[in-house]
């Protein structure tokens, strides 16, 4: 039973809520474990709220320096940044603790825990910068490290609230198996673990390796199949592959006295086609939903119609499709002009600058 102070007392459940927490039985006080044991002679290592202290890990990791050393034995000339900095800045009491056999908390396991905590806080700071719409691009590459292990790096490219572009790594992962299935699963799991919505992934960037960018079963295609832009492709294919379905769509427009709009042929590398597709879908959203509702009740492609209908009825789809239409409209003129074979470099540069403004 812990002592009661002002009607309150410490509970062991706090350890589960706050991993960095340390409780002093003799002082009946709460502390940040890292601040108390590794603050050395620094006067104010962290912010303090009452008796509770914590460290801003985002500032700790900004230099991007290696934490661990190749040889951390006492005879090593360079034991790594962490241990060497401790040795330089620690006071006499800390040096005595570090020289002891136990209780210095500098083993590789403790260092890895600290690195993990820093990484977690750093990733959260990166994610907090993403603009309110939550749109982002995935950039992935893999290579073998010095020890011949396959390492995959995942980078997010995004805009912040002030429209500044950021490219930030959110992880480097050792891949035991480097096929399309394992790579795509790891990418998807990483995105979801960081509380990001795959429906907000507007683009992917990989190298030319078939396992990454293959059009049939590569990583790119597998992730595209679970993102919002795959819905546009499925919708186009669904209507165009079935004459009856497309006729229903045309009749739905004619019944309301609307000019008939034909869905665009999708060309992934041309932004003009994406703009045309999204614009027409937004303009005829109600008619498309009506046709899909009819087909989901009695068509031989009922399951597929239900899947597309469910996706298009989400608020996320509606918000992103309108946001992307606005964005693509802003760059549409430049996109078309840059495809003109007669355009000269100064004109192209001015066009890009004006479009960015």
């Amino acid at each position: 039973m812990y002592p009661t102070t002002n009607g309150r007392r410490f509970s062991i459940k706090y350890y589960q809520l706050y991993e960095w927490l340390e409780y002093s039985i003799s002082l009946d006080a709460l502390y940040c474990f890292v601040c108390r044991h590794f603050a050395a002679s620094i006067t104010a290592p962290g912010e303090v709220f009452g008796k509770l202290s914590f460290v801003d890990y985002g500032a700790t990791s900004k230099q991007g320096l290696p934490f661990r050393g190749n040889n951390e034995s006492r005879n090593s000339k360079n034991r790594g940044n962490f241990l060497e900095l401790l040795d330089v800045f620690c006071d006499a009491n800390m040096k005595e603790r570090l020289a002891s056999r136990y209780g210095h908390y500098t083993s590789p396991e403790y260092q890895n825990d600290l690195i993990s905590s820093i990484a977690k806080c750093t990733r959260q700071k990166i994610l907090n910068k993403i603009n309110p719409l939550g749109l982002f691009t995935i950039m992935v590459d893999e290579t073998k490290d010095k020890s011949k292990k396959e390492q995959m790096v995942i980078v997010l490219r995004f805009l912040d609230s002030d429209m500044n572009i950021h490219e930030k790594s959110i992880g480097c992962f050792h891949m035991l198996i480097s096929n399309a299935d394992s790579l795509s699963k790891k990418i998807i799991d990483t995105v979801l673990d960081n509380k990001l919505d795959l429906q907000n992934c507007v683009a992917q960037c990989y190298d030319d390796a078939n396992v990454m960018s293959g059009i049939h079963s590569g990583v790119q295609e597998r992730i595209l199949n679970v993102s919002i832009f795959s819905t546009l492709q499925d919708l186009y294919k669904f209507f165009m592959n079935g004459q009856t379905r497309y006729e229903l769509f045309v009749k739905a427009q004619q019944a309301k006295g609307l000019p008939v709009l034909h869905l665009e042929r999708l060309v992934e590398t041309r932004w003009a086609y994406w703009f045309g597709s999204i614009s027409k879908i937004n303009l005829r959203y109600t008619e498309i939903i009506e046709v899909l509702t009819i087909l989901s009740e009695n068509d031989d492609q009922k399951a597929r119609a239900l899947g597309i209908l469910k996706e298009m009825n989400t608020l996320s789809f509606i918000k992103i499709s309108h946001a992307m239409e606005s964005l693509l409209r802003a760059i549409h003129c430049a996109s078309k002009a840059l495809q003109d074979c007669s355009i000269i470099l100064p004109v192209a540069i001015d066009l890009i600058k004006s479009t960015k403004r």
Side-chain angles (χ1 to χ4, degrees):
M1 180 67 69
Y2 297 99
T4 300
T5 304
N6 297 327
R8 303 181 64 185
R9 62 169 176 261
F10 179 75
S11 172
I12 198 169
K13 68 180 181 181
Y14 295 150
Y15 286 127
Q16 299 174 346
L17 298 174
Y18 310 104
E19 296 178 357
W20 45 266
L21 186 64
E22 183 182 55
Y23 174 71
S24 169
I25 298 176
S26 60
L27 299 177
D28 187 28
L30 303 177
Y31 297 96
C32 166
F33 175 86
V34 178
C35 292
R36 272 176 47 79
H37 292 277
F38 301 107
S41 58
I42 302 173
T43 305
E47 298 182 37
V48 177
F49 294 88
K51 296 180 179 179
L52 205 61
S53 172
F54 68 93
V55 172
D56 182 356
Y57 289 115
T60 308
S61 61
K62 68 178 183 179
Q63 296 299 104
L65 296 174
F67 203 84
R68 298 276 306 280
N70 292 329
N71 183 354
E72 296 182 350
S73 66
R74 298 188 183 279
N75 298 325
S76 174
K77 293 182 178 180
N78 187 345
R79 302 176 68 195
N81 285 315
F82 178 67
L83 294 179
E84 293 294 342
L85 285 172
L86 274 180
D87 185 59
V88 170
F89 293 106
C90 67
D91 55 19
N93 291 332
M94 179 60 71
K95 284 192 175 183
E96 183 179 352
R97 174 175 289 185
L98 292 175
S100 65
R101 186 172 182 182
Y102 302 107
H104 44 70
Y105 303 106
T106 59
S107 69
E109 291 77 17
Y110 277 104
Q111 289 191 53
N112 287 344
D113 284 344
L114 185 54
I115 292 171
S116 178
S117 297
I118 293 172
K120 182 178 179 180
C121 295
T122 303
R123 274 195 302 271
Q124 193 56 53
K125 283 204 166 188
I126 292 172
L127 298 172
N128 289 342
K129 289 183 179 180
I130 299 178
N131 65 85
L133 286 175
L135 304 179
F136 61 92
T137 293
I138 296 174
M139 305 170 70
V140 179
D141 198 7
E142 60 166 341
T143 187
K144 287 184 179 179
D145 62 15
K146 190 175 181 179
S147 62
K148 307 300 181 184
K149 294 179 180 178
E150 285 287 346
Q151 303 287 349
M152 180 176 70
V153 176
I154 301 178
V155 174
L156 292 184
R157 180 181 173 91
F158 59 89
L159 293 174
D160 61 22
S161 299
D162 297 322
M163 303 304 288
N164 298 310
I165 299 175
H166 297 270
E167 289 183 0
K168 300 290 186 180
S169 171
I170 58 169
C172 181
F173 308 95
H174 174 211
M175 302 302 296
L176 298 175
I177 303 175
S178 294
N179 56 30
D181 182 59
S182 60
L183 293 175
S184 58
K185 186 177 186 302
K186 186 62 179 178
I187 294 171
I188 292 172
D189 288 346
T190 301
V191 170
L192 297 180
D193 288 344
N194 285 284
K195 305 297 187 294
L196 293 171
D197 190 346
L198 266 174
Q199 304 299 328
N200 291 344
C201 177
V202 297
Q204 303 174 61
C205 181
Y206 307 100
D207 58 23
D208 289 332
N210 286 336
V211 70
M212 301 301 285
S213 55
I215 62 174
H216 298 297
S217 60
V219 172
Q220 181 179 14
E221 184 65 19
R222 289 168 184 260
I223 294 178
L224 184 64
N225 287 335
V226 295
S227 69
I228 190 167
F229 289 94
S230 67
T231 305
L232 303 184
Q233 291 183 325
D234 285 344
L235 184 62
Y236 175 81
K237 293 174 183 177
F238 183 73
F239 276 93
M240 299 309 293
N241 290 343
Q243 188 63 32
T244 304
R245 303 184 192 100
Y246 198 71
E247 288 175 356
L248 278 173
F249 173 57
V250 172
K251 289 178 180 178
Q253 298 176 81
Q254 291 174 333
K256 296 184 178 182
L258 300 172
V260 175
L261 295 181
H262 297 278
L263 298 180
E264 290 282 347
R265 178 174 64 92
L266 289 180
V267 181
E268 292 186 13
T269 57
R270 297 289 181 90
W271 289 110
Y273 285 98
W274 282 110
F275 174 61
S277 297
I278 294 177
S279 298
K280 291 181 178 180
I281 289 171
N282 287 342
L283 195 60
R284 294 291 185 267
Y285 179 83
T286 303
E287 289 69 40
I288 293 173
I289 293 296
E290 289 175 357
V291 173
L292 287 171
T293 302
I294 295 171
L295 297 176
S296 66
E297 295 172 352
N298 52 26
D299 190 73
D300 57 345
Q301 291 277 340
K302 177 178 180 178
R304 194 172 184 189
L306 278 171
I308 299 174
L309 182 63
K310 181 180 179 181
E311 186 63 46
M312 289 189 66
N313 267 325
T314 61
L315 182 59
S316 175
F317 179 92
I318 296 171
K319 287 196 300 183
I320 294 176
S321 62
H322 282 277
M324 287 306 299
E325 182 183 358
S326 298
L327 173 62
L328 293 173
R329 180 183 291 109
I331 67 173
H332 183 62
C333 292
S335 178
K336 296 287 286 185
L338 290 173
Q339 295 174 40
D340 190 338
C341 61
S342 64
I343 193 170
I344 58 176
L345 183 59
V347 174
I349 293 174
D350 289 341
L351 183 61
I352 292 173
K353 286 182 178 179
S354 64
T355 303
K356 287 173 69 176
R357 284 196 298 269

